[in-house]
Amino acid sequence: MTEIRLWNTRTKRKEVLDPVVPGHPKMYVCGPTVYDRAHLGNARPAVVFDVLYRLLRHTYGENNVTYVRNFTDVDDKINAKAAETGRPIRDITDETIRWYHEDMDALGNLRPTHEPRATDWIPAMVAMIGRLIAQGHAYEAAGHVLFRVRSYARYGALSGRSVDDMIAGSRVEVAPFKEDPLDFVLWKPSDATQPGWPSPWGHGRPGWHIECSAMARELLGGAFDIHGGGIDLQFPHHENEIAQSRCAHPEEAFASIWMHNEMLVVEGKKMSKSLGNFFTVRDLLDKGVPGEVIRFVLLGTHYSKPMDWTEERVREATVALHRWYRLVGLTVPASDVDAAVLHSLADDLNVPAVINRLHQLANSGDVPALRTAMTLLGLLDTAVPHWARVDGFTEAEAGLIQLLLQRRDFARQQRDFARADRIRDMMTRAGVQVRDRGIGEAPELVRLPHFDPRQLEEVR
Protein backbone atom coordinates (compact mmCIF):
# COMPACT_ATOMS: atom_id res chain seq x y z
CA MET A 1 0.00 0.00 0.00
CA THR A 2 1.21 3.51 -0.85
CA GLU A 3 2.72 5.38 2.13
CA ILE A 4 1.13 8.84 2.34
CA ARG A 5 3.12 11.60 4.06
CA LEU A 6 1.42 14.87 5.00
CA TRP A 7 2.69 18.08 6.57
CA ASN A 8 1.23 18.39 10.06
CA THR A 9 0.78 22.04 11.04
CA ARG A 10 0.60 21.01 14.70
CA THR A 11 3.96 19.21 14.82
CA LYS A 12 5.61 21.24 12.02
CA ARG A 13 6.84 18.17 10.12
CA LYS A 14 5.76 15.63 7.54
CA GLU A 15 4.16 12.56 9.07
CA VAL A 16 3.12 9.21 7.70
CA LEU A 17 -0.66 8.81 7.65
CA ASP A 18 -1.40 5.91 10.01
CA PRO A 19 -5.19 5.69 10.32
CA VAL A 20 -6.60 5.43 13.84
CA VAL A 21 -8.87 2.70 12.51
CA PRO A 22 -6.50 0.60 10.37
CA GLY A 23 -7.41 0.82 6.70
CA HIS A 24 -10.18 3.37 7.27
CA PRO A 25 -8.90 6.99 7.20
CA LYS A 26 -11.23 9.75 8.39
CA MET A 27 -11.04 13.43 7.47
CA TYR A 28 -12.89 16.57 8.61
CA VAL A 29 -12.66 19.84 6.64
CA CYS A 30 -14.24 23.11 7.70
CA GLY A 31 -16.84 24.10 5.12
CA PRO A 32 -18.53 27.36 4.15
CA THR A 33 -20.81 29.72 6.04
CA VAL A 34 -23.83 29.68 3.75
CA TYR A 35 -25.05 33.22 3.14
CA ASP A 36 -23.65 34.03 -0.33
CA ARG A 37 -21.89 32.63 -3.38
CA ALA A 38 -18.53 30.91 -2.88
CA HIS A 39 -15.66 33.14 -3.99
CA LEU A 40 -12.48 31.85 -5.58
CA GLY A 41 -10.65 31.68 -2.24
CA ASN A 42 -13.41 29.40 -0.89
CA ALA A 43 -12.80 27.06 -3.80
CA ARG A 44 -9.15 26.41 -3.04
CA PRO A 45 -9.63 24.24 0.09
CA ALA A 46 -12.52 22.44 -1.59
CA VAL A 47 -10.27 21.45 -4.50
CA VAL A 48 -7.18 20.71 -2.38
CA PHE A 49 -8.97 18.36 -0.01
CA ASP A 50 -10.92 16.80 -2.86
CA VAL A 51 -7.58 15.68 -4.34
CA LEU A 52 -6.58 14.26 -0.94
CA TYR A 53 -9.95 12.49 -0.74
CA ARG A 54 -9.36 10.98 -4.19
CA LEU A 55 -5.88 9.83 -3.16
CA LEU A 56 -7.25 8.23 0.02
CA ARG A 57 -10.00 6.47 -1.95
CA HIS A 58 -7.45 5.17 -4.45
CA THR A 59 -5.15 3.93 -1.67
CA TYR A 60 -7.67 2.49 0.81
CA GLY A 61 -10.73 1.82 -1.35
CA GLU A 62 -13.71 4.06 -2.12
CA ASN A 63 -15.88 2.63 0.66
CA ASN A 64 -13.19 2.79 3.33
CA VAL A 65 -12.74 6.57 3.53
CA THR A 66 -14.96 8.94 5.53
CA TYR A 67 -14.86 12.61 4.57
CA VAL A 68 -16.90 15.18 6.50
CA ARG A 69 -17.29 18.82 5.42
CA ASN A 70 -19.79 20.94 7.32
CA PHE A 71 -22.13 23.79 6.45
CA THR A 72 -22.31 26.62 8.97
CA ASP A 73 -25.98 27.60 8.69
CA VAL A 74 -26.32 29.55 11.95
CA ASP A 75 -24.27 32.74 11.95
CA ASP A 76 -24.70 36.48 12.41
CA LYS A 77 -23.91 37.10 8.70
CA ILE A 78 -26.85 34.87 7.78
CA ASN A 79 -29.06 36.67 10.30
CA ALA A 80 -28.04 40.02 8.82
CA LYS A 81 -28.87 38.89 5.28
CA ALA A 82 -32.27 37.64 6.45
CA ALA A 83 -32.98 41.01 8.09
CA GLU A 84 -31.81 42.87 4.98
CA THR A 85 -33.84 40.83 2.48
CA GLY A 86 -36.84 39.86 4.61
CA ARG A 87 -36.36 36.23 3.58
CA PRO A 88 -36.55 33.30 6.00
CA ILE A 89 -33.14 32.07 7.14
CA ARG A 90 -33.82 28.52 5.96
CA ASP A 91 -34.61 29.76 2.44
CA ILE A 92 -31.29 31.61 2.33
CA THR A 93 -29.22 28.69 3.60
CA ASP A 94 -30.98 26.14 1.38
CA GLU A 95 -30.39 28.31 -1.68
CA THR A 96 -26.75 28.97 -0.80
CA ILE A 97 -26.03 25.27 -0.21
CA ARG A 98 -27.55 24.50 -3.61
CA TRP A 99 -25.33 27.17 -5.19
CA TYR A 100 -22.28 25.77 -3.43
CA HIS A 101 -22.99 22.27 -4.67
CA GLU A 102 -23.49 23.49 -8.25
CA ASP A 103 -20.25 25.46 -8.22
CA MET A 104 -18.12 22.79 -6.54
CA ASP A 105 -19.57 20.13 -8.85
CA ALA A 106 -18.53 22.29 -11.81
CA LEU A 107 -14.94 22.24 -10.47
CA GLY A 108 -14.96 18.45 -10.46
CA ASN A 109 -15.18 17.96 -6.70
CA LEU A 110 -16.66 14.77 -5.30
CA ARG A 111 -19.35 15.15 -2.65
CA PRO A 112 -18.04 14.30 0.85
CA THR A 113 -19.36 11.29 2.73
CA HIS A 114 -21.24 13.59 5.13
CA GLU A 115 -22.17 17.27 4.83
CA PRO A 116 -23.72 18.10 8.21
CA ARG A 117 -25.60 21.33 8.78
CA ALA A 118 -24.80 22.92 12.13
CA THR A 119 -28.48 23.41 12.96
CA ASP A 120 -29.05 19.64 12.84
CA TRP A 121 -26.50 19.04 15.62
CA ILE A 122 -27.49 21.54 18.33
CA PRO A 123 -28.13 18.84 21.00
CA ALA A 124 -24.59 17.50 20.57
CA MET A 125 -23.20 21.02 20.99
CA VAL A 126 -25.31 21.61 24.12
CA ALA A 127 -24.04 18.32 25.58
CA MET A 128 -20.40 19.24 24.93
CA ILE A 129 -20.85 22.68 26.47
CA GLY A 130 -22.41 21.05 29.54
CA ARG A 131 -19.35 18.83 29.95
CA LEU A 132 -17.03 21.81 29.69
CA ILE A 133 -18.95 23.66 32.43
CA ALA A 134 -18.99 20.58 34.68
CA GLN A 135 -15.23 20.18 34.34
CA GLY A 136 -14.47 23.84 35.06
CA HIS A 137 -13.39 24.77 31.54
CA ALA A 138 -16.41 26.98 30.83
CA TYR A 139 -18.66 29.37 32.74
CA GLU A 140 -22.01 31.11 32.35
CA ALA A 141 -22.17 34.90 32.33
CA ALA A 142 -24.91 37.31 31.22
CA GLY A 143 -26.78 34.61 29.33
CA HIS A 144 -23.60 33.49 27.57
CA VAL A 145 -21.39 30.47 28.11
CA LEU A 146 -17.68 31.10 27.60
CA PHE A 147 -14.63 28.86 27.41
CA ARG A 148 -11.81 29.54 29.89
CA VAL A 149 -8.82 29.69 27.57
CA ARG A 150 -6.25 29.63 30.36
CA SER A 151 -7.73 26.38 31.67
CA TYR A 152 -6.13 24.55 28.73
CA ALA A 153 -2.36 24.59 29.22
CA ARG A 154 -1.55 23.83 25.56
CA TYR A 155 -3.66 26.63 24.09
CA GLY A 156 -1.70 28.22 21.24
CA ALA A 157 0.35 25.13 20.36
CA LEU A 158 -1.23 24.78 16.90
CA SER A 159 -0.63 28.38 15.84
CA GLY A 160 2.64 28.81 17.74
CA ARG A 161 1.31 31.65 19.89
CA SER A 162 1.70 32.19 23.60
CA VAL A 163 -1.40 33.10 25.57
CA ASP A 164 0.19 36.22 27.03
CA ASP A 165 1.05 37.55 23.56
CA MET A 166 -2.30 36.82 21.94
CA ILE A 167 -4.52 39.65 23.15
CA ALA A 168 -2.96 42.55 21.23
CA GLY A 169 -4.04 42.45 17.62
CA SER A 170 -5.83 39.13 17.85
CA ARG A 171 -9.35 38.32 16.70
CA VAL A 172 -10.94 38.33 20.14
CA GLU A 173 -14.24 39.86 21.17
CA VAL A 174 -13.87 42.02 24.29
CA ALA A 175 -16.96 41.97 26.51
CA PRO A 176 -17.47 43.10 30.13
CA PHE A 177 -18.82 39.69 31.20
CA LYS A 178 -15.63 37.84 30.21
CA GLU A 179 -13.26 36.68 32.93
CA ASP A 180 -10.40 37.01 30.44
CA PRO A 181 -10.34 38.83 27.08
CA LEU A 182 -9.25 35.60 25.34
CA ASP A 183 -12.24 33.58 26.53
CA PHE A 184 -14.51 32.74 23.61
CA VAL A 185 -18.24 32.18 23.26
CA LEU A 186 -19.72 28.69 23.30
CA TRP A 187 -23.36 29.77 23.60
CA LYS A 188 -25.11 33.13 23.30
CA PRO A 189 -28.66 34.35 23.88
CA SER A 190 -31.10 34.92 21.01
CA ASP A 191 -33.85 37.51 20.87
CA ALA A 192 -37.20 37.07 19.12
CA THR A 193 -35.72 37.97 15.69
CA GLN A 194 -32.80 35.54 15.87
CA PRO A 195 -32.70 31.75 15.50
CA GLY A 196 -32.51 29.97 18.83
CA TRP A 197 -32.88 26.68 20.66
CA PRO A 198 -33.65 25.76 24.27
CA SER A 199 -30.69 25.07 26.55
CA PRO A 200 -29.87 24.95 30.28
CA TRP A 201 -28.61 28.54 29.86
CA GLY A 202 -31.71 29.89 28.16
CA HIS A 203 -32.99 30.32 24.62
CA GLY A 204 -29.98 30.87 22.39
CA ARG A 205 -27.62 29.63 19.69
CA PRO A 206 -24.11 28.18 19.56
CA GLY A 207 -20.91 30.06 19.00
CA TRP A 208 -19.00 29.33 15.82
CA HIS A 209 -16.21 27.08 17.12
CA ILE A 210 -18.27 24.54 19.06
CA GLU A 211 -20.12 23.27 16.01
CA CYS A 212 -17.08 21.66 14.36
CA SER A 213 -15.94 19.99 17.59
CA ALA A 214 -19.36 18.48 18.17
CA MET A 215 -20.02 17.37 14.59
CA ALA A 216 -16.54 15.93 14.09
CA ARG A 217 -16.88 13.82 17.24
CA GLU A 218 -20.38 12.63 16.37
CA LEU A 219 -19.52 11.64 12.78
CA LEU A 220 -15.88 10.56 13.08
CA GLY A 221 -15.43 9.60 16.73
CA GLY A 222 -13.23 11.05 19.46
CA ALA A 223 -10.04 10.40 17.48
CA PHE A 224 -9.66 10.74 13.72
CA ASP A 225 -6.88 11.25 11.22
CA ILE A 226 -6.98 14.55 9.33
CA HIS A 227 -8.48 17.97 10.05
CA GLY A 228 -8.19 20.49 7.23
CA GLY A 229 -9.06 24.03 6.23
CA GLY A 230 -7.65 27.35 5.09
CA ILE A 231 -4.72 28.92 6.95
CA ASP A 232 -7.05 31.73 8.03
CA LEU A 233 -8.83 29.19 10.26
CA GLN A 234 -5.70 28.10 12.11
CA PHE A 235 -6.28 30.84 14.70
CA PRO A 236 -8.62 31.23 16.38
CA HIS A 237 -11.04 28.64 14.95
CA HIS A 238 -8.89 25.52 14.91
CA GLU A 239 -7.03 26.52 18.05
CA ASN A 240 -10.38 26.80 19.82
CA GLU A 241 -11.62 23.51 18.40
CA ILE A 242 -8.63 21.70 19.88
CA ALA A 243 -9.03 23.35 23.27
CA GLN A 244 -12.72 22.65 23.72
CA SER A 245 -12.53 19.10 22.31
CA ARG A 246 -9.55 18.03 24.41
CA CYS A 247 -11.01 19.61 27.55
CA ALA A 248 -14.48 18.11 27.07
CA HIS A 249 -12.99 14.67 26.41
CA PRO A 250 -9.40 14.60 27.71
CA GLU A 251 -9.21 10.86 27.09
CA GLU A 252 -9.66 11.40 23.34
CA ALA A 253 -7.01 12.60 20.89
CA PHE A 254 -9.28 14.55 18.50
CA ALA A 255 -7.40 15.10 15.16
CA SER A 256 -3.96 13.61 14.50
CA ILE A 257 -2.82 15.61 11.44
CA TRP A 258 -3.76 19.26 10.84
CA MET A 259 -3.50 20.53 7.27
CA HIS A 260 -3.91 24.13 6.10
CA ASN A 261 -3.92 25.53 2.59
CA GLU A 262 -2.46 28.98 2.07
CA MET A 263 -4.39 31.99 0.81
CA LEU A 264 -5.14 33.15 -2.73
CA VAL A 265 -4.38 36.48 -4.39
CA VAL A 266 -5.36 37.86 -7.80
CA GLU A 267 -2.63 39.25 -10.08
CA GLY A 268 -0.42 39.64 -7.00
CA LYS A 269 -2.98 41.54 -4.93
CA LYS A 270 -5.32 40.50 -2.14
CA MET A 271 -8.79 39.81 -3.49
CA SER A 272 -10.98 42.77 -2.57
CA LYS A 273 -14.22 44.29 -3.82
CA SER A 274 -12.68 47.74 -3.48
CA LEU A 275 -9.89 46.75 -5.91
CA GLY A 276 -12.36 45.28 -8.37
CA ASN A 277 -10.60 41.90 -8.33
CA PHE A 278 -13.12 40.02 -6.18
CA PHE A 279 -15.08 37.35 -8.00
CA THR A 280 -17.02 34.23 -7.25
CA VAL A 281 -16.68 30.83 -8.86
CA ARG A 282 -20.01 31.48 -10.58
CA ASP A 283 -18.65 34.76 -12.03
CA LEU A 284 -15.86 32.83 -13.72
CA LEU A 285 -18.11 30.04 -14.95
CA ASP A 286 -20.59 32.54 -16.38
CA LYS A 287 -17.75 34.32 -18.19
CA GLY A 288 -16.93 31.06 -19.94
CA VAL A 289 -13.95 29.87 -17.89
CA PRO A 290 -14.49 26.08 -17.72
CA GLY A 291 -14.53 24.43 -14.31
CA GLU A 292 -11.65 22.15 -15.34
CA VAL A 293 -9.51 25.21 -16.12
CA ILE A 294 -10.33 26.78 -12.74
CA ARG A 295 -9.40 23.52 -11.01
CA PHE A 296 -6.15 23.22 -12.97
CA VAL A 297 -5.05 26.74 -12.01
CA LEU A 298 -5.90 26.17 -8.34
CA LEU A 299 -3.83 22.99 -8.34
CA GLY A 300 -0.85 24.55 -10.10
CA THR A 301 0.64 25.91 -6.85
CA HIS A 302 1.36 23.64 -3.89
CA TYR A 303 -1.41 23.97 -1.33
CA SER A 304 1.02 25.11 1.39
CA LYS A 305 2.09 28.19 -0.60
CA PRO A 306 0.18 31.38 -1.47
CA MET A 307 -1.48 31.08 -4.88
CA ASP A 308 -1.63 33.85 -7.47
CA TRP A 309 -4.59 33.70 -9.86
CA THR A 310 -3.58 35.37 -13.12
CA GLU A 311 -4.94 35.60 -16.63
CA GLU A 312 -1.68 34.12 -17.90
CA ARG A 313 -2.18 31.01 -15.75
CA VAL A 314 -5.73 30.68 -17.04
CA ARG A 315 -4.39 30.83 -20.60
CA GLU A 316 -1.67 28.26 -19.88
CA ALA A 317 -4.16 25.92 -18.22
CA THR A 318 -6.53 26.18 -21.18
CA VAL A 319 -3.74 25.36 -23.65
CA ALA A 320 -2.56 22.34 -21.63
CA LEU A 321 -6.03 20.93 -21.09
CA HIS A 322 -7.04 21.34 -24.73
CA ARG A 323 -3.96 19.40 -25.72
CA TRP A 324 -4.51 16.64 -23.17
CA TYR A 325 -8.21 16.31 -23.94
CA ARG A 326 -7.39 15.83 -27.61
CA LEU A 327 -5.26 12.86 -26.60
CA VAL A 328 -7.53 11.24 -24.02
CA GLY A 329 -10.57 11.71 -26.24
CA LEU A 330 -9.32 8.69 -28.09
CA THR A 331 -10.56 5.29 -27.01
CA VAL A 332 -7.71 4.00 -24.88
CA PRO A 333 -7.38 1.03 -22.52
CA ALA A 334 -7.33 1.53 -18.78
CA SER A 335 -3.98 1.99 -17.08
CA ASP A 336 -2.61 1.69 -13.59
CA VAL A 337 -1.74 5.01 -11.96
CA ASP A 338 1.71 6.10 -13.10
CA ALA A 339 4.28 5.45 -10.33
CA ALA A 340 5.71 8.98 -10.47
CA VAL A 341 2.22 10.50 -10.25
CA LEU A 342 1.35 8.40 -7.21
CA HIS A 343 4.69 9.11 -5.53
CA SER A 344 4.25 12.88 -5.89
CA LEU A 345 0.65 12.85 -4.67
CA ALA A 346 1.61 10.74 -1.66
CA ASP A 347 4.38 13.23 -0.85
CA ASP A 348 2.19 15.87 0.80
CA LEU A 349 0.00 16.37 -2.28
CA ASN A 350 2.75 17.62 -4.56
CA VAL A 351 0.32 18.33 -7.40
CA PRO A 352 2.66 20.72 -9.27
CA ALA A 353 5.07 17.78 -9.69
CA VAL A 354 2.15 15.66 -10.90
CA ILE A 355 1.25 18.28 -13.51
CA ASN A 356 4.85 18.26 -14.77
CA ARG A 357 4.61 14.49 -15.07
CA LEU A 358 1.36 14.81 -17.06
CA HIS A 359 3.18 17.00 -19.57
CA GLN A 360 5.82 14.27 -19.88
CA LEU A 361 3.19 11.58 -20.38
CA ALA A 362 1.50 13.67 -23.08
CA ASN A 363 4.79 14.33 -24.87
CA SER A 364 5.73 10.64 -24.81
CA GLY A 365 2.32 9.56 -26.08
CA ASP A 366 1.47 7.46 -23.01
CA VAL A 367 -2.22 8.26 -23.35
CA PRO A 368 -3.58 5.55 -21.00
CA ALA A 369 -1.36 6.79 -18.14
CA LEU A 370 -2.29 10.39 -18.94
CA ARG A 371 -6.00 9.61 -18.84
CA THR A 372 -5.73 7.71 -15.54
CA ALA A 373 -3.71 10.49 -13.90
CA MET A 374 -6.14 13.18 -15.09
CA THR A 375 -9.01 11.17 -13.61
CA LEU A 376 -7.20 10.86 -10.27
CA LEU A 377 -6.69 14.64 -10.21
CA GLY A 378 -10.38 15.25 -10.93
CA LEU A 379 -9.69 16.77 -14.35
CA LEU A 380 -11.52 14.06 -16.27
CA ASP A 381 -14.75 12.26 -15.55
CA THR A 382 -16.12 9.58 -17.86
CA ALA A 383 -15.84 11.76 -20.98
CA VAL A 384 -14.02 14.79 -22.33
CA PRO A 385 -15.89 17.96 -21.25
CA HIS A 386 -18.13 19.50 -23.88
CA TRP A 387 -16.04 22.69 -24.24
CA ALA A 388 -13.03 20.64 -25.36
CA ARG A 389 -14.79 18.29 -27.74
CA VAL A 390 -14.61 18.20 -31.53
CA ASP A 391 -18.20 18.96 -32.57
CA GLY A 392 -19.90 17.83 -35.76
CA PHE A 393 -18.16 14.48 -35.97
CA THR A 394 -18.80 10.98 -34.67
CA GLU A 395 -16.82 9.78 -31.66
CA ALA A 396 -14.50 7.72 -33.85
CA GLU A 397 -13.97 10.60 -36.29
CA ALA A 398 -13.35 13.03 -33.43
CA GLY A 399 -10.76 10.65 -32.00
CA LEU A 400 -8.83 10.59 -35.26
CA ILE A 401 -9.02 14.38 -35.58
CA GLN A 402 -7.79 14.84 -32.01
CA LEU A 403 -4.83 12.56 -32.71
CA LEU A 404 -3.88 14.45 -35.86
CA LEU A 405 -4.17 17.81 -34.12
CA GLN A 406 -1.91 16.50 -31.38
CA ARG A 407 0.68 15.43 -33.97
CA ARG A 408 0.43 18.84 -35.60
CA ASP A 409 0.93 20.55 -32.23
CA PHE A 410 3.98 18.40 -31.53
CA ALA A 411 5.48 19.27 -34.92
CA ARG A 412 4.98 22.96 -34.25
CA GLN A 413 6.59 22.64 -30.81
CA GLN A 414 9.59 21.03 -32.54
CA ARG A 415 9.56 23.95 -35.02
CA ASP A 416 8.97 21.46 -37.84
CA PHE A 417 6.51 23.80 -39.49
CA ALA A 418 6.68 22.03 -42.85
CA ARG A 419 5.38 18.80 -41.27
CA ALA A 420 2.71 20.72 -39.34
CA ASP A 421 1.52 22.31 -42.58
CA ARG A 422 1.44 18.95 -44.35
CA ILE A 423 -0.81 17.50 -41.65
CA ARG A 424 -3.12 20.52 -41.93
CA ASP A 425 -3.24 20.25 -45.72
CA MET A 426 -3.96 16.50 -45.60
CA MET A 427 -6.79 17.13 -43.13
CA THR A 428 -8.20 19.73 -45.50
CA ARG A 429 -8.12 17.21 -48.37
CA ALA A 430 -9.95 14.76 -46.09
CA GLY A 431 -12.63 17.41 -45.53
CA VAL A 432 -11.61 18.95 -42.18
CA GLN A 433 -10.55 22.58 -42.36
CA VAL A 434 -8.38 23.77 -39.44
CA ARG A 435 -8.71 27.45 -38.63
CA ASP A 436 -6.23 28.63 -35.99
CA ARG A 437 -7.48 31.17 -33.48
CA GLY A 438 -5.81 33.17 -30.72
CA ILE A 439 -3.04 31.90 -28.47
CA GLY A 440 -4.44 29.47 -25.94
CA GLU A 441 -7.57 28.73 -27.96
CA ALA A 442 -8.34 25.48 -29.69
CA PRO A 443 -8.53 25.79 -33.48
CA GLU A 444 -11.91 26.03 -35.14
CA LEU A 445 -12.72 22.89 -37.13
CA VAL A 446 -15.02 23.07 -40.15
CA ARG A 447 -16.55 19.96 -41.69
CA LEU A 448 -16.33 20.49 -45.46
CA PRO A 449 -18.89 19.09 -47.93
CA HIS A 450 -16.42 16.54 -49.29
CA PHE A 451 -15.53 15.14 -45.84
CA ASP A 452 -14.37 11.53 -46.12
CA PRO A 453 -13.41 9.75 -42.84
CA ARG A 454 -11.55 7.10 -44.86
CA GLN A 455 -9.01 9.72 -45.88
CA LEU A 456 -8.52 10.59 -42.20
CA GLU A 457 -7.44 6.99 -41.68
CA GLU A 458 -4.94 7.40 -44.50
CA VAL A 459 -3.54 10.57 -42.89
CA ARG A 460 -3.16 8.69 -39.64
Side-chain angles (χ1 to χ4, degrees):
M1 182 176 290
T2 303
E3 181 180 85
I4 298 174
R5 295 173 60 85
L6 302 170
W7 179 265
N8 190 344
T9 309
R10 182 175 58 84
T11 60
K12 310 297 186 291
R13 63 174 183 265
K14 283 185 188 179
E15 297 184 2
V16 175
L17 175 64
D18 184 17
V20 174
V21 179
H24 295 265
K26 300 178 182 180
M27 176 170 66
Y28 186 96
V29 175
C30 291
T33 300
V34 286
Y35 68 96
D36 208 344
R37 286 278 189 185
H39 60 69
L40 190 59
N42 301 140
R44 192 179 192 195
V47 170
V48 165
F49 290 103
D50 178 72
V51 172
L52 178 55
Y53 183 37
R54 290 170 179 272
L55 174 62
L56 294 174
R57 284 160 53 102
H58 172 79
T59 304
Y60 293 93
E62 293 184 4
N63 297 323
N64 295 328
V65 183
T66 304
Y67 174 21
V68 178
R69 185 182 64 210
N70 71 298
F71 288 117
T72 296
D73 62 344
V74 53
D75 183 87
D76 288 344
K77 291 178 180 178
I78 302 172
N79 299 342
K81 186 161 187 177
E84 175 188 347
T85 62
R87 298 177 61 195
I89 286 174
R90 187 74 182 195
D91 286 358
I92 293 171
T93 57
D94 283 350
E95 177 182 64
T96 308
I97 288 173
R98 175 173 56 79
W99 287 345
Y100 186 81
H101 278 148
E102 290 172 354
D103 293 347
M104 295 307 107
D105 290 351
L107 300 190
N109 293 319
L110 301 172
R111 298 283 178 94
T113 316
H114 303 288
E115 294 184 286
R117 297 174 65 132
T119 52
D120 292 335
W121 296 89
I122 301 297
M125 299 177 210
V126 170
M128 182 171 280
I129 294 170
R131 287 182 64 91
L132 290 168
I133 292 175
Q135 296 175 24
H137 294 292
Y139 58 95
E140 185 179 1
H144 295 70
V145 179
L146 299 111
F147 182 86
R148 284 191 177 96
V149 165
R150 294 182 189 270
S151 73
Y152 181 56
R154 291 189 53 77
Y155 191 85
L158 178 69
S159 57
R161 304 169 184 234
S162 72
V163 171
D164 292 333
D165 293 338
M166 283 184 190
I167 298 176
S170 63
R171 293 167 56 188
V172 297
E173 181 183 354
V174 178
F177 49 80
K178 286 186 176 184
E179 293 178 356
D180 187 299
L182 283 178
D183 293 349
F184 59 86
V185 173
L186 300 170
W187 189 264
K188 51 190 171 184
S190 295
D191 61 29
T193 67
Q194 298 168 323
W197 293 263
S199 80
W201 320 287
H203 185 72
R205 61 197 191 280
W208 174 32
H209 313 297
I210 194 68
E211 67 175 79
C212 289
S213 285
M215 291 188 290
R217 185 174 187 275
E218 292 295 318
L219 292 169
L220 298 176
F224 56 95
D225 305 297
I226 302 166
H227 194 310
I231 193 66
D232 56 319
L233 300 180
Q234 183 186 44
F235 183 86
H237 184 52
H238 289 165
E239 198 76 73
N240 292 352
E241 276 190 64
I242 292 173
Q244 62 201 12
S245 293
R246 295 302 307 272
C247 287
H249 297 278
E251 74 285 0
E252 298 174 351
F254 198 45
S256 300
I257 295 176
W258 288 81
M259 295 179 65
H260 295 93
N261 65 273
E262 262 289 353
M263 304 302 287
L264 177 145
V265 297
V266 176
E267 302 288 353
K269 297 180 181 179
K270 183 178 179 180
M271 193 162 60
S272 167
K273 291 181 179 178
S274 63
L275 294 176
N277 66 352
F278 179 95
F279 42 86
T280 67
V281 173
R282 181 50 49 182
D283 290 335
L284 290 171
L285 293 171
D286 288 347
K287 288 179 181 177
V289 182
E292 294 83 3
V293 170
I294 298 172
R295 184 182 184 89
F296 190 101
V297 176
L298 291 175
L299 291 175
T301 301
H302 192 269
Y303 78 88
S304 65
K305 299 186 181 302
M307 196 243 129
D308 192 3
W309 175 276
T310 67
E311 287 300 316
E312 176 63 16
R313 288 185 173 180
V314 172
R315 187 194 70 80
E316 291 172 351
T318 305
V319 170
L321 287 175
H322 263 300
R323 181 179 178 227
W324 295 350
Y325 286 135
R326 287 177 197 163
L327 280 173
V328 302
L330 300 170
T331 302
V332 295
S335 165
D336 292 334
V337 176
D338 178 75
V341 166
L342 197 55
H343 174 78
S344 295
L345 275 183
D347 182 19
D348 196 31
L349 294 187
N350 190 352
V351 181
V354 174
I355 291 174
N356 288 336
R357 179 58 178 160
L358 264 60
H359 283 293
Q360 294 173 0
L361 294 173
N363 290 338
S364 68
D366 192 345
V367 179
L370 175 65
R371 185 182 187 101
T372 302
M374 290 179 70
T375 301
L376 185 58
L377 282 187
L379 293 170
L380 181 67
D381 196 357
T382 55
V384 171
H386 67 87
W387 62 270
R389 293 176 190 164
V390 179
D391 294 325
F393 300 90
T394 67
E395 184 175 350
E397 294 164 353
L400 284 174
I401 292 169
Q402 288 162 346
L403 178 61
L404 293 172
L405 288 174
Q406 170 60 22
R407 290 179 177 174
R408 179 172 178 257
D409 285 348
F410 183 75
R412 295 170 81 180
Q413 289 168 15
Q414 300 298 310
R415 306 190 67 80
D416 187 352
F417 298 112
R419 181 168 182 265
D421 289 345
R422 283 198 302 273
I423 294 173
R424 182 200 59 201
D425 293 343
M426 287 188 292
M427 291 179 70
T428 301
R429 286 196 294 272
V432 181
Q433 186 178 36
V434 181
R435 295 177 180 174
D436 290 317
R437 294 189 283 191
I439 296 175
E441 294 186 75
E444 179 185 0
L445 301 172
V446 180
R447 180 180 176 129
L448 300 174
H450 66 276
F451 173 68
D452 184 352
R454 292 171 297 178
Q455 291 191 45
L456 279 180
E457 289 281 1
E458 293 174 7
V459 176
R460 181 179 180 180

